Amino acid sequence: MMNNLVILPLLIPLLTGVLLIFFRKQIKVQRYVTTLSLLLLMAATVVLTHQVSVEGTQTLNLGGWEPPFGIVLVADMFALLLILATVIVTFCCVLYGYRTIGEEREKHYLYPFIHFMIVGIMGSFLTGDLFNLFVFFEVMLLSSYILISLGGEKGQLRESLKYVLINIVSSMLFLVAIGYLYAITGTLNFADLSVKIAETGQDGLITTVAIFLLLVFAIKAALLMYFWLPGAYSAPPMAISAMFAALLTKVGMYAIFRTFTLIFYHEAAITHELIGWLGVATMILGGIGAVAYWDLRRILAYNVIIAVGFIMIGLAVFTEVALAGSIYYLIHDMIVKALLFLLGGIMIGLTGTNQLREMSGMIRNHALLGWMFFLAAFALAGVPPLSGFIGKLLTLHGAIDEGFYVMAAVGLITSLMVLYSVMKIFMNGFWGENQLSVEDEKMSTKGLLFPCAILAVLSVGLGVGVEWVNVYVLQAAEVLNNPQLYIDAVLQN
Amino acid sequence: MEILMSVLAGILFTAGTYLVLAKSLLRIVLGTAILGHGALLLLLTMGGIKTGAPPLLGLESTAYTDPLPQALILTAIVINFGTLGVFLVIAYRSYQELGTDDMEELRGTDDE
C-alpha cells in the first residue's frame, strides 16, 4: 500500500531541526517549537499506526522508483510501535530537559541535534534497505556524538572519544558487510534479499556475512560488546542520558530483529543460537555490573545492558509467542528506562552526588519521587501488574515451550539481580536518616515530576491495559514471524 | 584489477588498524580515516569493476557497468568526511580541556 504519510516521521523532525538552527538565542521559541513538533509527530504516528493496523503494512517508494531498485520506506507494526514509544520518550525527556539542561547547552544547538537524532532513529526504523540503514545509523550517531560531548566537561570529552572511536570502527565494519552481501546477492533491499536468499538457500558464505552483521549491530545494541556503554551513558546531562538509554541501543536491537527475522532466518541453529548465548552472557555480565557498583548512574547504565540480553532471548527462541514477548518488553524497556534515568537524575540533582552511600532519607521530603522510583523499580524487574511482567512472561513462556531452559533460568535469575540493584538505590536513597533538609537541596523538583508521571502512568497502563495493547503487539509479531507479509507489502503494490 | 584493489584495501585496513591502536589521539583519528578508505575501496571492488558502457538510455552495448556501488560510495564518502570532521573537533577540544593526547592517560573512571 503506497502511503505518503510514511514520510512524516522523518520530515517533521528534520524540518523542525533545520528551523530551530535559526533561533539559536531565543530559547523560549526553541522550547515552544520543540514541544509543538513532537506533539505533531505523535499525532502523525498515531494516525499511521491506526492505518497499518487496519490496512496492513504501508510503504512509500521515494521518487516513484519501484523496489528493489529505488529507496523504499516501510512502516510495519513493529517499526511503528517503536516509533510511537520513541516520540513519547523524547517528549518526556525534552520536558524534563527544559528545567535541567541549562541555557548554555540550549543555546548551542541542543534542540536541533535532538531533532536530528530523532530523524536518524525514525529512519532506521522505517528504512527498507540495508544501505539506508547505514545512512540513518550515521545520522543518529553523528547527532549523538554531539549530544554526548555538548557542554565540554572533562568526563564528557573523555567518554565521547571512546564512544566516537568505537562507533566509527563498527560503522566501517558495517560498510564492509554491506559490500560482501552486495557481492553475493546483488541487492540490498530487505525484501529482495529475503527472496533471493530463500531461493538460493543460505550457504556458509551468507551465514558468515550474517554473523558479521550481527557483530556490527551487537556493538551498537550493546549486546555483549557493551564496554563503551556505562561510561558513555554516565557522561552527559541526565535528560540526554535518559534519551540515549531509552532509544539508542533499541535501534541496534531493531536492526538485529529486522535482519534475523526477515533475511537470515534459514540457519537458525547457528545464528539464532549464537544470538541467544550472546544474550545470556550479556545478562550475566550486566547483572554483575549492576550489583557491584554504588554509583547511581553506573547501576542504571548496567540495567540497560541486562535488558538487551533479555530481549535477545525472544529472538533466539523465534516463535510468535516469544517474539511478541520481546516486542512487548522492548516497548516497556524504552518507557521504564527513560523513567528510571529521569528519576535518578532528580536524586542526583537534589543531593549533588552520584554515590549511593552519600544519600539517604529522601522520602521524607519527596514522597512522590520515592514512590514513583519504587514503581519503576518493580516495573523493571517485571512485577505484575506493571508493564515488564507481560513481556517477561511471554518470552519465558516461549523459551520454556521450546526447551531453552538455561536461557529462561538466566532470565529469571537476572531479574532478581535487577530488582536487587534498583532496590539498593531505593533503600539507600529514600530510607534511613534524613540528611538533607529542603534548604540544603541543590535544586527544586518543580516541574520535573510531571514528565516522570506521564511515563509512570504509561508503564502502569501498558501492564493493566494488556488486552488493548496486545492486538498491536501480535500484529507486529506476526509480520516478524512471517517474512512473506513484509515481502508482499514491499514488492507487490 | 579486482585483485590489485583487494590487496590495496587490505593494506589500507592494516595501516588503519595499526594507527587506531596507537596511543596518540591524532594517529587514532587518522587511522579511522584510513580504515574508512579501505572500507570504501572494498565496497567498490565487491560491486564488481566491469568494463562496460555507462548505464544510460540510448547507449547500445552488451555489458553495462553497475552504477549502484558508486552511488553507495558517494554517500559513504560524505558520511566518512562528516564523522572525521566531528572526531577531529572532539579530539582537539579534549586535547585543550584535558591537556593530553595520550589515550593511556584517559583510561579509568572519575572516582579512581
Side-chain angles (χ1 to χ4, degrees):
Chain A
M1 281 290 219
M2 277 278 272
N3 186 342
N4 281 325
L5 278 183
V6 177
I7 194 114
L8 278 184
L10 291 177
L11 214 55
I12 295 171
L14 181 67
L15 292 180
T16 320
V18 172
L19 182 74
L20 287 181
I21 290 179
F22 297 107
F23 297 99
R24 183 187 154 192
K25 294 268 164 70
Q26 289 99 312
I27 295 173
K28 276 253 164 65
V29 178
Q30 291 208 35
R31 287 176 179 174
Y32 283 129
V33 175
T34 303
T35 315
L36 202 68
S37 93
L38 285 172
L39 285 174
L40 201 66
L41 193 56
M42 217 180 286
T45 320
V46 168
V47 172
L48 202 55
T49 313
H50 176 70
Q51 284 187 353
V52 169
S53 81
V54 176
E55 297 166 26
T57 306
Q58 308 280 312
T59 63
L60 177 62
N61 304 337
L62 292 179
W65 291 76
E66 297 273 319
F69 303 109
I71 293 171
V72 58
L73 297 181
V74 187
D76 68 338
M77 192 46 95
F78 180 39
L80 275 176
L81 287 177
L82 294 182
I83 287 180
L84 198 57
T86 305
V87 182
I88 293 168
V89 164
T90 316
F91 184 68
C92 296
C93 290
V94 167
L95 279 188
Y96 182 94
Y98 292 157
R99 293 192 180 269
T100 54
I101 286 181
E103 280 198 8
E104 268 313 303
R105 284 192 171 93
E106 287 179 304
K107 267 185 195 159
H108 286 88
Y109 308 108
L110 174 82
Y111 297 118
F113 279 113
I114 288 180
H115 278 103
F116 293 143
M117 190 170 86
I118 301 292
V119 176
I121 293 168
M122 301 289 179
S124 307
F125 289 151
L126 284 176
T127 180
D129 70 293
L130 204 55
F131 191 77
N132 280 295
L133 186 65
F134 166 74
V135 173
F136 282 118
F137 261 32
E138 288 304 305
V139 171
M140 171 187 91
L141 288 172
L142 265 174
S143 324
S144 73
Y145 301 158
I146 308 287
L147 286 177
I148 217 170
S149 56
L150 192 69
E153 289 161 19
K154 281 189 179 167
Q156 279 187 317
L157 286 167
R158 197 183 59 202
E159 293 307 330
S160 67
L161 279 177
K162 297 165 193 168
Y163 178 74
V164 173
L165 178 61
I166 286 163
N167 275 306
I168 288 181
V169 171
S170 80
S171 295
M172 292 306 112
L173 294 181
F174 194 0
L175 266 185
V176 171
I178 289 174
Y180 285 140
L181 201 58
Y182 186 69
I184 296 170
T185 60
T187 180
L188 289 175
N189 186 288
F190 283 150
D192 202 27
L193 270 174
S194 178
V195 172
K196 287 212 165 117
I197 291 176
E199 273 170 9
T200 59
Q202 188 175 336
D203 58 6
L205 214 52
I206 296 178
T207 308
T208 313
V209 174
I211 292 172
F212 202 76
L213 269 179
L214 175 65
L215 171 80
V216 171
F217 295 146
I219 294 176
K220 316 244 180 208
L223 177 62
L224 195 61
M225 269 74 76
Y226 63 74
F227 33 79
W228 52 270
L229 191 142
Y233 286 10
S234 314
M238 218 52 178
I240 298 175
S241 276
M243 277 181 71
F244 280 14
L247 305 178
L248 289 192
T249 55
K250 307 300 177 291
V251 180
M253 279 191 257
Y254 169 83
I256 295 178
F257 267 87
R258 182 57 83 208
T259 45
F260 283 87
T261 55
L262 182 61
I263 305 170
F264 309 113
Y265 57 90
H266 304 283
E267 289 286 347
I270 302 172
T271 49
H272 290 63
E273 189 90 14
L274 179 67
I275 292 173
W277 293 117
L278 283 176
V280 168
T282 315
M283 279 194 291
I284 294 172
L285 293 171
I288 293 171
V291 170
Y293 278 98
W294 283 86
D295 177 337
L296 202 159
R297 297 190 121 186
R298 298 234 161 209
I299 295 174
L300 293 181
Y302 274 100
N303 272 310
V304 176
I305 296 164
I306 302 173
V308 175
F310 188 81
I311 291 165
M312 285 306 145
I313 287 183
L315 182 56
V317 174
F318 205 34
T319 60
E320 193 159 331
V321 178
L323 283 172
S326 276
I327 296 168
Y328 211 97
Y329 200 79
L330 204 55
I331 299 164
H332 142 80
D333 195 56
M334 289 168 97
I335 288 169
V336 171
K337 277 291 140 54
L339 176 59
L340 266 181
F341 268 75
L342 294 183
L343 293 172
I346 298 179
M347 291 170 71
I348 292 174
L350 287 174
T351 55
T353 172
N354 286 343
Q355 297 302 323
L356 279 182
R357 289 199 171 96
E358 292 167 24
M359 37 177 99
S360 167
M362 265 188 273
I363 201 142
R364 315 231 182 259
N365 293 333
H366 301 282
L368 186 59
L369 177 69
W371 292 117
M372 261 204 286
F373 195 92
F374 189 72
L375 182 94
F378 268 30
L380 193 69
V383 175
L386 300 163
S387 58
F389 173 67
I390 304 296
K392 277 215 161 128
L393 181 74
L394 289 177
T395 308
L396 293 175
H397 178 52
I400 290 167
D401 273 357
E402 296 293 307
F404 291 87
Y405 298 116
V406 179
M407 291 180 194
V410 173
L412 282 171
I413 293 166
T414 46
S415 296
L416 288 181
M417 289 164 116
V418 168
L419 189 62
Y420 170 73
S421 70
V422 278
M423 286 326 275
K424 187 164 79 178
I425 300 178
F426 180 75
M427 287 164 69
N428 275 283
F430 291 102
W431 285 357
E433 288 284 311
N434 189 14
Q435 298 170 334
L436 215 60
S437 66
V438 180
E439 295 80 49
D440 290 339
E441 286 165 357
K442 307 280 189 293
M443 68 171 199
S444 84
T445 58
K446 188 167 156 267
L448 292 180
L449 289 174
F450 175 62
C452 301
I454 300 177
L455 290 170
V457 167
L458 264 176
S459 170
V460 176
L462 266 181
V464 178
V466 181
E467 290 298 321
W468 187 73
V469 186
N470 214 14
V471 185
Y472 299 95
V473 173
L474 281 180
Q475 278 182 346
E478 197 189 353
V479 177
L480 286 188
N481 202 32
N482 184 4
Q484 200 56 45
L485 290 173
Y486 187 98
I487 295 166
D488 287 345
V490 176
L491 293 181
Q492 299 163 7
N493 47 51
Chain B
M1 193 65 182
E2 268 96 346
I3 291 176
L4 189 69
M5 298 266 280
S6 311
V7 171
L8 191 57
I11 293 173
L12 285 174
F13 269 109
T14 319
T17 312
Y18 176 73
L19 284 173
V20 165
L21 294 175
K23 272 187 190 172
S24 153
L25 197 47
L26 190 61
R27 278 170 194 258
I28 292 174
V29 178
L30 292 177
T32 60
I34 292 175
L35 264 186
H37 291 314
L40 294 174
L41 209 56
L42 189 97
L43 192 59
L44 187 68
T45 319
M46 281 290 136
I49 307 163
K50 290 188 197 118
T51 45
L56 293 171
L57 281 179
L59 277 177
E60 294 292 330
S61 173
T62 47
Y64 294 97
T65 308
D66 185 359
L68 193 68
Q70 291 166 27
L72 302 187
I73 286 166
L74 193 61
T75 318
I77 285 175
V78 177
I79 291 171
N80 271 354
F81 186 65
T83 39
L84 181 67
V86 171
F87 197 11
L88 267 174
V89 170
I90 292 178
Y92 179 61
R93 189 67 213 278
S94 335
Y95 173 65
Q96 278 188 326
E97 197 75 23
L98 302 163
T100 176
D101 72 333
D102 187 345
M103 288 300 270
E104 287 277 308
E105 293 175 24
L106 298 178
R107 291 189 308 182
T109 51
D110 286 325
D111 33 274
E112 263 179 67

